[in-house]
Amino acid sequence: MALASPYTDKLEAFLRVHRNVEYAPSMETYMKNNFPFLGIKNPERVALTKQFWKEHGFPKSEEGVVIALELWELPEREFAYTALMMFIQLRKGLKREDIDLLEQLVVSKSWWDTVDTIADHLIGYHLQRFPELIPSYVEKWLGSGNMWLQRTAILFQLKYKTKTDVPLLFACIRRMADSKEFFIRKAIGWALREYSKTDADAVRAFVAETELSPLSVREALKVIQRKESIST
């Protein structure tokens, strides 16, 4: 890997000063020991990062993307989280073709903690700006055989509410309904649960007519059933 920029070096050193060897093991265990951790809990990491930006400025445009990617390549997971914070700040300036960069983030160092943020806050936002990309990329992701890309295809509309392409959402779920992967079944339930806040009847009908795993059904109907129990 090429030498990192001075800004990246400073931010890396700043966060490493705050590492906590007491918290790191439990954080690594929570993430199934897939990644090393500095041991900086999320609220502290966010506050520290904002403090650093206030003192050193926030890199804009292409420089910011380069720095975020440099952080992404560092081993400890907190740097990936910080990189995603940066990408969220930079997302309005991303170009149409940067969908490929976001896709690469999904399949790099993949686990739910980063993939869900990318799917929801980055890819979901990007595809609202460039909706013409949706058909080809969603089809590509569903057919990729990569669980995390498939999860992204299901979850990218999480915040769309009334702007949700419901036929597309339901079609994605039908395509993946027979998956045995926990993270796919969970994503199906999550996407349906979130959309049930906008149209409960549509979700209820879809669940009734579609063969889904018990996990997906349970997750999908949580909000509906909670509201029903309160009203009775």
Side-chain angles (χ1 to χ4, degrees):
M1 180 180 172
L3 290 175
S5 67
Y7 188 100
T8 304
D9 287 339
K10 287 179 183 177
L11 180 49
E12 177 187 1
F14 176 73
L15 289 177
R16 288 194 184 282
V17 166
H18 294 86
R19 73 185 310 153
N20 188 314
V21 295
E22 179 183 349
Y23 292 147
S26 61
M27 295 169 78
E28 291 167 2
T29 299
Y30 182 65
M31 289 298 165
K32 307 295 185 183
N33 294 305
N34 284 311
F35 315 98
F37 277 78
L38 295 173
I40 307 174
K41 293 190 175 181
N42 276 343
E44 182 186 3
R45 176 186 52 78
V46 170
L48 287 169
T49 303
K50 290 180 177 179
Q51 175 189 334
F52 184 90
W53 289 345
K54 185 175 181 180
E55 294 175 0
H56 298 272
F58 184 87
K60 301 296 185 183
S61 304
E62 293 181 8
E63 180 192 6
V65 170
V66 169
I67 290 167
L69 290 173
E70 289 174 346
L71 290 169
W72 184 265
E73 292 301 322
L74 294 172
E76 291 86 359
R77 201 61 166 168
E78 287 90 344
F79 295 116
Y81 300 154
T82 304
L84 293 182
M85 281 181 68
M86 291 190 66
F87 274 117
I88 290 170
Q89 293 293 319
L90 295 162
R91 64 184 183 176
K92 290 182 180 179
L94 293 180
K95 301 179 180 67
R96 181 182 185 275
E97 59 268 23
D98 286 328
I99 185 65
D100 294 322
L101 183 155
L102 300 178
E103 179 186 272
Q104 187 57 37
L105 292 178
V106 171
V107 299
S108 171
K109 302 185 176 183
S110 308
W111 200 242
W112 64 264
D113 57 330
T114 55
V115 169
D116 293 355
T117 298
I118 299 163
D120 183 0
H121 296 282
L122 294 176
I123 286 179
Y125 182 87
H126 197 76
L127 292 181
Q128 279 192 311
R129 293 179 62 216
F130 304 103
E132 69 276 9
L133 296 172
I134 291 174
S136 61
Y137 275 86
V138 168
E139 179 61 32
K140 175 185 175 184
W141 296 337
L142 289 174
S144 67
N146 182 291
M147 174 180 69
W148 301 110
L149 289 174
Q150 292 167 339
R151 183 172 167 98
T152 297
I154 295 167
L155 294 180
F156 80 91
Q157 296 192 84
L158 272 182
K159 286 188 165 57
Y160 285 18
K161 298 182 180 179
T162 58
K163 295 180 179 179
T164 300
D165 183 337
V166 182
L168 176 62
L169 173 63
F170 288 172
C172 289
I173 291 171
R174 289 191 189 98
R175 283 273 296 273
M176 302 307 304
D178 62 351
S179 173
K180 300 296 189 288
E181 292 284 357
F182 168 83
F183 286 109
I184 296 297
R185 291 181 169 190
K186 190 81 170 180
I188 288 171
W190 184 12
L192 290 172
R193 182 176 75 241
E194 197 63 25
Y195 187 63
S196 77
K197 300 173 186 177
T198 299
D199 190 341
D201 290 340
V203 170
R204 189 185 289 108
F206 178 78
V207 170
E209 69 188 21
T210 308
E211 188 172 343
L212 301 171
S213 71
L215 171 61
S216 297
V217 172
R218 187 167 61 250
E219 291 293 324
L221 298 179
K222 273 184 177 179
V223 171
I224 293 172
Q225 292 174 343
R226 183 166 65 243
K227 288 181 178 178
E228 289 175 346
S229 66
I230 291 174
S231 63
T232 56

